[in-house]
Amino acid sequence: MDLLLRHASVVDGTGGPARGADVAVAGDRIAAVRPSGELAPGPGTEVVDLDGLVLAPGFIDVHTHYDAQVLWDGDLTPSSWHGVTSVVMGNCGFGVAPTKPEHRDVITRTLENVEGMALDALEAGIDWCFESFPEYLQAIDDRAKRLNVGAFIGHSPLRLFVVGTDERPATEAEVDTMRSVLREAIDAGAIGFSTSRQPAHQGAYGRPVPSRFADVDEVTSLASVLGELGKGVIQVSIGPGLFVDQFSELATANDVPV
C-alpha cells in the first residue's frame, strides 16, 4: 500500500453509523478498509493518523453556479474547503456559454442580479477565450482544477446566442438553431440542459432572464434533443407552465432523467 489512514471515523455513505477503521490506499484506489489496528504499513507506506477525524467519500454538489468562477479559481472555493469533490454548474438556465461578444454584458449582469455575484469580479475574472459551448468546455479542461466539474448548457445564454436580446417567443427557425447548438453542446460533454420559468429570476437591468420569454413548446422542443440523443439530464427552476406535474410529464415524454 502507498498510504495508510489510521484511526479514522469512517462514514461510508451506506447509511450506517460511523465506525472506527483504518483505510489503505494503493495508487488512486482504496485497497482495504479494516477495523483500527488490523492493517500494517509496508516499508514505503505513508502513515497518517486521523485521530478520529471523519473519513468519507467525496460529496457531489449537484446545484452550483461556478460557471464564471471556474475560469479564475481552480480551487472552486469554498466548496473544496468542505469535502465537496464534484460540482455541477449551469443550473437554472444560467451560464456563460455560448456567448457572443455583444452579449457578454448581459451575461455578467444576469449573474450579478440573479446570483448576487460581484460585477467587478466577473468582469476582471472571466477570460472570454470562447464563444461556443464546446470552446467553453475546452477552456475549463485547459485549467487545473481541484474538483471534478460537470456543466449544463443553460437556456438563457443559449437563447441570447440565437435570439439575441429580443423579449419574445422564438421563431420556428430559431428553435431549430437552438436545438442544433444544444446538440453540439451535449456531444461535446455538457451533462444536460437547464432552464427557468421562475418569476423571481430577474436578470440584467432588472429584466426577466431570457429563458422566461420562451414558451413551453420551446422548452419541450429543446428537451426532446436529449431524448433523441439518449443521454443528458434536464434541470428546471419551476414556474408558470412548468410546475412539478408538467415537469415530470416533460421528462417522461422525452425519456430523460430529472
Side-chain angles (χ1 to χ4, degrees), residues 165-254:
T165 56
D166 290 352
E167 297 180 345
R168 58 169 175 79
T171 66
E172 183 176 346
E174 288 168 338
V175 172
D176 286 343
T177 301
M178 282 190 279
R179 283 171 50 85
S180 296
V181 176
L182 173 56
R183 179 181 291 269
E184 176 188 56
I186 298 296
D187 286 340
I191 67 169
F193 166 70
S194 69
T195 189
S196 172
R197 292 178 68 83
Q198 172 53 247
H201 283 163
Q202 300 293 114
Y205 307 103
R207 299 298 302 155
V209 296
S211 63
R212 289 179 54 197
F213 294 102
D215 55 34
V216 176
D217 286 344
E218 176 180 321
V219 178
T220 301
S221 181
L222 293 172
S224 69
V225 172
L226 278 63
E228 293 164 7
L229 292 173
K231 59 183 178 181
V233 178
I234 300 173
Q235 189 273 332
V236 174
S237 293
I238 58 177
L242 274 184
F243 289 105
V244 174
D245 52 350
Q246 296 99 334
F247 185 21
S248 298
E249 291 172 4
L250 172 65
T252 300
N254 290 285

Side-chain angles (χ1 to χ4, degrees), residues 31-107:
V33 181
R34 298 285 187 273
S36 294
E38 289 192 4
L39 294 174
T45 301
E46 178 185 0
V47 179
V48 178
D49 190 339
L50 296 184
D51 193 26
L53 292 175
V54 170
L55 183 62
F59 296 99
I60 302 172
D61 190 340
V62 299
H63 192 120
T64 77
H65 293 281
Y66 281 118
D67 309 76
Q69 185 177 328
V70 70
L71 295 168
W72 73 78
D73 176 19
D75 286 348
L76 292 166
T77 57
S79 290
S80 59
W81 299 342
H82 301 295
V84 173
T85 55
S86 299
V87 297
V88 178
M89 58 193 192
N91 289 277
C92 305
F94 309 140
V96 297
T99 297
K100 296 176 180 177
E102 60 265 33
H103 298 142
R104 292 171 182 172
D105 180 64
V106 175
I107 288 292

